[in-house]
Amino acid sequence: MDKKLFVQTIDSFYLNGLTSQVKLKVQNKQVHIKFATDNKDCIGEITAPIELEDCEIGIYNTGQLLKLLGITSDYIELNLAKQGNHFLRLNISDNQFDLVYNLSDLGLIQDPSVISNLPSHDLEFDINFDFCQKLVKAHNALDKPPRLEIGITKDFQGQDVVNFIIGEKSSYSNKVNFSEPGTITNQIKPIPFSAVNLREIVSVSKSAKGKAYVYKDGLMKIQLEEDGIKSEYYLVAFSE
C-alpha cells in the first residue's frame, strides 16, 4: 500500500505526540480508530482505507511505529503474525527492509467513547488550506501558547464573523487576533480551547477540507476529509 496514506492515517490521531495508544479495527480493507489524547481533552474517530486483513490490534507506542515507517520506501506491504486468535506482530516490508513492530495487549488500551446526540451547534466555520496556514503562523508568532479563544465579532461591513484570539488570558500577554467568515446561529460568549490541539489537527490536515462546529457549552466538533481519510475530533473547552 501507499506508505504516505498509512502514515497520514496514523498522524491523524497521533497529532505529533498528543495520542500515543490506540486500537486499530480493520474490516473489509477499512480501518476504524477511536482515540483520546493522553490528557483526555480531545477525542475522535478516524476511518481510512488500508491494505490489511480483518483484525483488531493494539498500538502502544505510536511514535516508534512512525520511526520504523520513516525508513521505508514509498510502497510498503503490511502483514500480521498471530498465534491462535491473538495478533502478535505487524510486519512491514519494502524493497529494502523487513521490519517488525510488536503489538500491544488490547486490554492495556482504553476504548474512548465518542460523543453522540449533540444539540444544535451555535456557530460553524470552514477549515481549509488558508485557515490552516493562518492558524499555524499565528501560533508560531507567539511561541506556541496553549490557549485560544473562539467567539463572535463584526467585520468592517458590520457582519458577524468568527473571531480567534491566540494567547494567554491575562491582559498584559501578547496576542494575535484574526477572523473568519462563518455561520452564526446563536450569539455566544468567547470560549477558550487548546491552541495546541487545534494547531496539530490542522497541521496534519493542511490539504483537507472540512468544518468546525462550536457549542456554547464548551465543545467544538471538527470534521475533515482528505484522500479517503475521514477524521472527526471533539475538543473540550480549555481548563483555566
Side-chain angles (χ1 to χ4, degrees), residues 122-166:
D122 297 289
L123 66 84
E124 67 179 77
F125 57 92
D126 290 336
I127 294 184
N128 50 38
F129 181 79
D130 289 341
F131 173 80
C132 296
Q133 291 286 92
K134 191 182 294 185
L135 180 72
V136 171
K137 286 179 180 178
H139 198 230
N140 286 343
L142 291 173
D143 198 23
K144 302 178 182 178
R147 180 184 188 277
L148 67 80
E149 268 188 8
I150 299 178
I152 301 169
T153 190
K154 292 188 180 296
D155 62 14
F156 65 93
Q157 294 179 326
Q159 300 296 313
D160 285 341
V161 291
V162 183
N163 192 50
F164 299 83
I165 302 175
I166 299 176

Side-chain angles (χ1 to χ4, degrees), residues 62-72:
T62 303
Q64 180 61 70
L65 177 57
L66 285 171
K67 285 182 180 179
L68 289 172
L69 289 167
I71 69 171
T72 60

Side-chain angles (χ1 to χ4, degrees), residues 169-183:
K169 184 178 181 180
S170 61
S171 58
Y172 54 82
S173 297
N174 297 321
K175 295 179 175 64
V176 175
N177 188 327
F178 66 92
S179 61
E180 289 286 312
T183 301

